[in-house]
Amino acid sequence: MIHQRFFLWAAVLGLFVHQATAQTPAPYGAVPSARQLAWHRMKYYAFVHFNMNTFSNEEWGHGTEKPAMFNPTQLDCRQWARVAKEAGMEGIIITAKHHDGFCLWPSKYTEHSVKNSPWRDGKGDVLKDLSAACKEYGLKFGVYLSPWDRNHPAYGTPEYNEIFKKTLQEVLTQYGDVFEVWFDGANGEGPNGKKQVYDWPGFVATVRQFQPNAVIFSDAGPDIRWVGNEDGYAGETNWATLNRSKVYPGYPNYWELTPGHEDGTDWVPTEVNCSIRPGWYYHANEDDKVKSLEHLVDIYYSSIGRNGNWLLNLPVDRRGLVHENDTKRLMELKAYTDKASNNLAGGKKITASSLFGKASTFAASNVLDKSRDTYWAAANGTTQATLDIDLGKPTTLNRLLIEEYIALGQRVKKFSVAAWQNGKYQTIAQGTTIGNRRILRFPAVTTSKLQISIDEAKANPLISNVEVYNAPELIVTPVISRSKDGMVTIACPRTTDPVITYTTDGSEPTAQSPRFSQPFAMPTGGTVKARAFVDNMKRASSPVTTEFDISSAKWNVVSAGGSASGKTTDRLIDGNPASFWQQRKTGETPASVVLDLGESLPLRGFTYVPRQDGKKDGIVYRYAVSVSQDGQTWSAPVSQGAFSNINNNPVKQTIRFDQPQTGRYLKFDALETTGANDTTVSIAELGVLTR
Ligand code: FUL
């Protein structure tokens, strides 16, 4: 009897359990929290790097800068918000406190803040202005805070962790809702030479206490993770999942952050951060180095289009304004993305090879409605399925956007797109992961039917949205290069029959400017600006500017580390940043390079280009430079220091000497590389500044 009743109950319960799973697909693996889901609904917002470095012309300040230097003449956060809004951005994250410790609000916990600056007689508060401007323009407000503090006297002691939490509390309680807290994992030395052991659990708890809806960013989340580079590129394969307990801020295997961990234990999606200029902070000499439209569009597809959100940095200038050149490019990008996202599949006919349950709740048509809350689900146990879209008429397209219903986890591992052509489906594009959003780019096809195949999934696929577009193709920005012997070439890769025009007098190239047809000589340096035109000069690329100093035509490498001048040492001065010299580290000075410049020259500084192949081993961090007339007697170093942030942002470094020098020989001592475990030293290019 007991047995019978037990079995009866078990049967009823079984039916219930079965029905519950029959009605709604079960979650798979790690799933997003409510705050993460809200963040996934965003896609594009601004980073603003504006702080003491704007005035000291640094990327990483030293903490010794005088508050008197902070004095924007026309600071207007409403202008930032207006630009961001018009650019289609959804929020702004401001560098409230960077590594030099200067606070943009009058903090009680440091003297190194706006309260001791001349700006608005010490009564100003950038966070107050910006949070109000964001509210006015309907933007979300976020804060960047660096725990690394090169100014605070308590840094390096347990007391500092308490101070940092109090500092956070100020920022999180005085300015309304904060949508994101951006923690920089950098952990250098403070004013007393000590490093801090950060209280991460305490920092996270503070944010949760005062802004429970804010997402927290760091290398390791806990809510959103760094993508592993500062170039703007997410991985083609990008899992939102991560084995979070293994990762921590400053995690040395940063390359794992790009694809994430397939089947990772936690949901920690990527935010892709990059700057619209080479540097994060404003430097006047980068006014003509704003990334081209084509470059920004490529980043758009490689961040937003690869399961990430895009945090694009605008280096606000010394006036306290977003610079005109940056604004212009942002508006070009907005115009382009508006044109490129006219959905040609909305409301069309769609069928699926497999369906979850009998009800229409999970019908294929959910994919083409406007809602992201409805989705198509394939039957339980189905990990391969197809969606057929009937476009109704021949339609030309070159982009496909596809989104998973991520509230129940990320599932798709491989998918492809085929177009109906000549009586059969032909594959036109393939992808790996999808996640929150994936956009595939492919050469334009004209077709009336499309088939999307989910080729491999971890559980039954759940797709909430598919859109197709015909995006205008952009003209590739020309690349200007100069050979060792001083001959300048301008090329426009992947473009059919471009007309390249250029100038050497600093003016903007137009359709009427001289046309580039063969290399020209520029041995002593100058400025080249170029632009590519197509379609009978009707469409043009963004202009590009390259500055050259004296060429290395007469130079020789006298010695490089232990090795004498030779084939590979020539790569140091071959004018080609793609090639680099590398050797094993030796002794106390890991490498010392001596250049003979062939003649005595006025020397005002030097340049160092780190390896450009995406690897980090051997990138120089600390350096010293000396000059000599005869290559025997050397000056004391005329310049020594560290290349700030070169590890994460390996762009060309331009260092000016405090005093002009004259000499024929230059010695570059690489004193330390960026990685503690590096085995080599590497240099792509060394150059000098003679002007
Ligand atoms: C890095 C910092 O060191 C850079 O200066 C910059 O703020 C970038 C966004 O994060 O870790």
Side-chain angles (χ1 to χ4, degrees):
M1 187 66 175
I2 291 172
H3 265 89
Q4 257 181 22
R5 246 191 233 162
F6 174 79
F7 279 121
L8 194 71
W9 273 113
V12 171
L13 207 73
L15 201 72
F16 252 85
V17 171
H18 182 75
Q19 275 194 348
T21 52
Q23 278 162 10
T24 324
Y28 173 82
V31 293
S33 65
R35 63 169 85 83
Q36 288 171 321
L37 273 176
W39 175 84
H40 275 299
R41 292 282 158 117
M42 300 178 72
K43 60 179 180 190
Y44 175 43
Y45 38 95
F47 218 172
V48 168
H49 273 64
F50 174 73
N51 204 306
M52 185 57 90
N53 292 337
T54 312
F55 301 89
S56 59
N57 206 21
E58 298 272 3
E59 280 289 298
W60 282 0
H62 302 275
T64 48
E65 297 79 12
K66 297 268 171 291
M69 288 167 65
F70 184 89
N71 198 10
T73 48
Q74 302 171 45
L75 184 120
D76 181 5
C77 293
R78 295 180 69 240
Q79 186 253 5
W80 312 0
R82 190 168 60 243
V83 168
K85 188 76 191 180
E86 285 171 9
M89 293 168 146
E90 300 151 293
I92 301 181
I93 300 179
I94 172 78
T95 49
K97 170 181 182 279
H98 206 251
H99 308 327
D100 56 75
F102 191 80
C103 294
L104 292 182
W105 76 103
S107 173
K108 271 199 278 193
Y109 303 100
T110 178
E111 290 308 304
H112 204 47
S113 90
V114 284
K115 74 183 175 196
N116 289 321
S117 79
W119 176 60
R120 294 187 188 162
D121 293 327
K123 306 273 184 305
D125 180 341
V126 181
L127 300 193
K128 191 168 161 212
D129 282 22
L130 182 60
S131 54
C134 284
K135 218 171 180 179
E136 181 186 339
Y137 283 89
L139 296 168
K140 297 187 187 214
F141 170 69
V143 287
Y144 163 112
L145 279 120
S146 164
W148 181 22
D149 191 321
R150 288 173 133 178
N151 174 273
H152 206 287
Y155 184 86
T157 71
E159 190 200 343
Y160 175 80
N161 280 331
E162 300 314 307
I163 293 171
F164 187 71
K165 283 181 259 181
K166 291 278 179 211
T167 308
L168 258 178
Q169 182 178 344
E170 285 183 328
V171 171
L172 300 177
T173 54
Q174 298 178 29
Y175 306 102
D177 286 346
V178 172
F179 86 98
E180 176 169 336
V181 178
W182 211 99
F183 280 136
D184 196 307
N187 185 198
E189 288 152 3
N192 55 15
K194 287 198 207 135
K195 282 192 183 175
Q196 180 77 30
V197 179
Y198 297 141
D199 174 15
W200 286 113
F203 302 167
V204 169
T206 307
V207 181
R208 295 289 193 241
Q209 182 182 353
F210 298 111
Q211 292 283 345
N213 297 327
V215 284
I216 301 175
F217 167 99
S218 84
D219 291 2
D223 300 317
I224 47 181
R225 73 175 195 263
W226 186 42
V227 71
N229 65 70
E230 294 183 356
D231 309 339
Y233 290 83
E236 287 202 44
T237 296
N238 186 1
W239 296 100
T241 46
L242 195 72
N243 293 315
R244 193 167 56 194
S245 58
K246 192 182 147 195
V247 181
Y248 48 89
Y251 185 59
N253 299 354
Y254 61 90
W255 52 85
E256 290 174 21
L257 301 178
T258 309
H261 296 144
E262 185 177 340
D263 289 321
T265 45
D266 302 270
W267 189 270
V268 193
T270 47
E271 181 187 77
V272 183
N273 63 309
C274 72
S275 184
I276 198 165
R277 294 171 177 228
W280 288 98
Y281 279 95
Y282 178 80
H283 309 290
N285 66 350
E286 293 183 355
D287 281 350
D288 54 12
K289 303 268 179 311
V290 178
K291 288 188 168 77
S292 67
L293 175 62
E294 188 234 345
H295 191 172
L296 289 175
V297 165
D298 194 43
I299 292 175
Y300 174 93
Y301 286 119
S302 307
S303 55
I304 290 173
R306 289 186 185 166
N307 196 21
N309 277 359
W310 187 16
L311 177 60
L312 176 62
N313 179 63
L314 311 176
V316 160
D317 66 19
R318 285 189 184 176
R319 292 171 301 176
L321 300 174
V322 179
H323 192 275
E324 293 74 358
N325 295 1
D326 307 50
T327 305
K328 181 168 176 275
R329 195 51 44 79
L330 285 170
M331 298 313 149
E332 288 171 10
L333 177 64
K334 173 73 165 62
Y336 178 84
T337 52
D338 281 352
K339 264 197 229 143
S341 47
N342 172 29
N343 183 15
L344 305 169
K348 300 283 181 205
K349 254 178 55 203
I350 180 166
T351 49
S353 65
S354 165
L355 209 53
F356 181 92
K358 292 206 179 68
S360 59
T361 324
F362 304 105
S365 56
N366 291 337
V367 162
L368 300 185
D369 67 8
K370 289 211 170 83
S371 167
R372 293 204 61 190
D373 299 321
T374 61
Y375 56 96
W376 159 70
N380 268 344
T382 304
T383 53
Q384 283 183 336
T386 51
L387 286 169
D388 284 49
I389 302 176
D390 185 349
L391 296 166
K393 56 169 192 265
T395 308
T396 303
L397 46 104
N398 58 9
R399 305 279 185 271
L400 178 124
L401 172 145
I402 181 163
E403 300 174 329
E404 283 187 77
Y405 184 72
I406 52 164
L408 295 176
Q410 187 176 350
R411 299 157 183 245
V412 176
K413 215 177 153 169
K414 229 169 115 196
F415 71 106
S416 54
V417 186
W420 185 261
Q421 280 176 323
N422 306 326
K424 59 175 196 275
Y425 274 123
Q426 314 228 16
T427 303
I428 51 169
Q430 284 168 314
T432 52
T433 53
I434 297 176
N436 185 46
R437 192 188 309 107
R438 183 73 205 266
I439 307 174
L440 292 183
R441 286 178 277 182
F442 43 87
V445 290
T446 302
T447 183
S448 51
K449 281 201 291 185
L450 274 183
Q451 183 172 71
I452 300 167
S453 306
I454 306 299
D455 300 319
E456 198 179 338
K458 301 190 150 283
N460 54 329
L462 314 178
I463 304 294
S464 66
N465 194 24
V466 168
E467 297 180 8
V468 295
Y469 322 116
N470 187 24
E473 292 297 352
L474 283 170
I475 305 153
V476 178
T477 318
V479 180
I480 306 170
S481 59
R482 190 180 62 175
S483 62
K484 187 173 183 333
D485 57 4
M487 298 303 286
V488 174
T489 301
I490 314 176
C492 200
R494 310 190 302 282
T495 310
T496 321
D497 300 331
V499 173
I500 299 173
T501 70
Y502 71 100
T503 65
T504 53
D505 61 1
S507 64
E508 286 308 319
T510 64
Q512 284 74 44
S513 304
R515 295 186 177 198
F516 175 81
S517 54
Q518 59 186 42
F520 59 90
M522 195 175 247
T524 56
T527 301
V528 182
K529 287 179 182 270
R531 213 163 177 187
F533 290 83
V534 297
D535 294 349
N536 279 327
M537 311 301 280
K538 279 204 228 55
R539 294 198 305 132
S541 71
S542 298
V544 60
T545 305
T546 303
E547 273 131 31
F548 296 107
D549 207 296
I550 190 161
S551 83
S552 56
K554 297 184 187 164
W555 301 7
N556 270 309
V557 180
V558 177
S559 59
S563 46
S565 167
K567 215 170 175 205
T568 61
T569 53
D570 285 350
R571 293 183 191 156
L572 286 160
I573 51 168
D574 63 359
N576 175 13
S579 72
F580 60 92
W581 166 82
Q582 185 174 29
Q583 76 152 33
R584 298 220 143 258
K585 277 180 171 179
T586 49
E588 289 232 320
T589 300
S592 189
V593 173
V594 176
L595 300 183
D596 175 0
L597 308 174
E599 63 194 317
S600 182
L601 290 171
L603 297 173
R604 297 184 183 271
F606 76 98
T607 58
Y608 163 64
V609 181
R611 62 192 295 176
Q612 297 292 303
D613 64 344
K615 305 217 172 77
K616 310 252 183 227
D617 198 279
I619 291 184
V620 179
Y621 179 52
R622 282 197 314 112
Y623 64 85
V625 167
S626 319
V627 296
S628 165
Q629 278 296 5
D630 57 7
Q632 309 291 323
T633 7
W634 291 94
S635 68
V638 292
S639 177
Q640 53 187 324
F643 300 121
S644 308
N645 201 31
I646 193 170
N647 195 54
N648 289 345
N649 190 20
V651 295
K652 178 178 180 178
Q653 309 288 308
T654 302
I655 307 289
R656 299 196 83 86
F657 302 149
D658 291 340
Q659 302 293 331
Q661 307 289 324
T662 313
R664 171 169 169 171
Y665 295 86
L666 182 124
K667 180 156 61 130
F668 175 81
D669 288 330
L671 302 176
E672 190 184 324
T673 60
T674 54
N677 301 322
D678 289 357
T679 53
T680 65
V681 180
S682 58
I683 300 174
E685 287 298 301
L686 280 179
V688 298
L689 304 174
T690 60
R691 304 145 191 252

